[in-house]
Amino acid sequence: MKSGMKQKILKSPTLYTLLSIALGFLLGAILLFLIGVNPAVAYGKLWNGIFGKPKFVVYSIVYAAPLIFTGLSVAFSFRTGVFNIGAEGQYIMGSLAALVVGLLVPLPAPFHAIVCLLSAALAGGLWGALAGLLKVKKGINEVLSYIMLNWIAFYFSNYVINQKAIHTEQGADASRNILKSASIRMPEFFSRLSGCTDIHWGIVLALLAALLIWFIMAKTSFGYQLRAVGYSRSAAEYAGIDSKKVFLLSMGISGMLAALGGAVQVLGMAERIAQFASQEGYGFQGITVALIGGTNPIGCIFSGLFYGAMKYGGNKLTVVNVPTEVVNIIMGTIIIFIAITPSVRTVLLRAVRGEGGK
């Protein structure tokens, strides 16, 4: 193979993503072996748990919907030079807004669901922009603000859930279910056809959101401004771009995307919110989705589907006495290998150039 072709292959992000996934599963197999579990049996169960029946595939897709949204949120902020570690709090605020409107504001369907989604987007956008405002006005590091806002959203959700108008009367530490008019579940025909009783329109909304974000980033002047600020804020300002305005808009849009992830989960699947004992993790898992997807909106679709399948299939591992945490170990390992990709790419390219110069 010619040196130029080798360099082209080695520069491909897809190569390193696939390699990272393979290494993640390899390390997972080693750990399974060390705890006395046959990796072939465990991975066979994982595969069967995803592809064994058509309804398993549909459930995997349903699980992917909120992850695609939170992945888009993190990917969008990455492209504009912001590390959105606050997607978890934005997800919570979105789910809470959707719940409150879906429970206390009776409206006809499907208008009710649309209002719930818009309310969630507004709540998440404001929650994300708040961290941006603290950065722009007071110079407070956005990562610190995001972390604090995550915990504020966490405890605020628990506070709201325990209010008399919201809390269930059935004795559980959870809210009442949303009104049927607010649901985004697909008609019963689709449930019977797929075998998935939780099938909803969330995945369609996630795909539309991914395409919209891709179009904005790649085909509009606003997207150019966002990317310019992400590459170099000082250079963008020199070119006449209002970096503070772009920064705020970026954090607001990122918050809206994460919040919509929470909304589709509540309106489509959970239909209520339980009192949190710990962070749900969808926002943090969005970081994984964004990195595996190469911070590309289209890539987030595939990485979200992959993570959704791993989450759903991983639940079946307990049948063969395998802890479900194995899935988290695999996903974490994939991210570690993706993180060191630049260094690996540099070493390999230097080796190929040296080989070509001989």
Side-chain angles (χ1 to χ4, degrees), residues 147-165:
I147 293 172
M148 294 299 102
L149 288 171
N150 282 346
W151 285 108
I152 292 171
F154 175 91
Y155 288 112
F156 180 66
S157 177
N158 284 351
Y159 170 78
V160 172
I161 295 306
N162 283 293
Q163 298 306 300
K164 187 175 181 180

Side-chain angles (χ1 to χ4, degrees), residues 28-29 32-33 36-50 313-314 316-323 326:
L32 287 169
F33 179 78
V37 176
N38 188 333
V41 173
Y43 286 165
K45 189 62 183 178
L46 179 63
W47 176 269
N48 186 66
I50 299 170
K316 310 292 182 66
L317 291 177
T318 53
V319 176
V320 289
N321 297 319
V322 177
V326 168

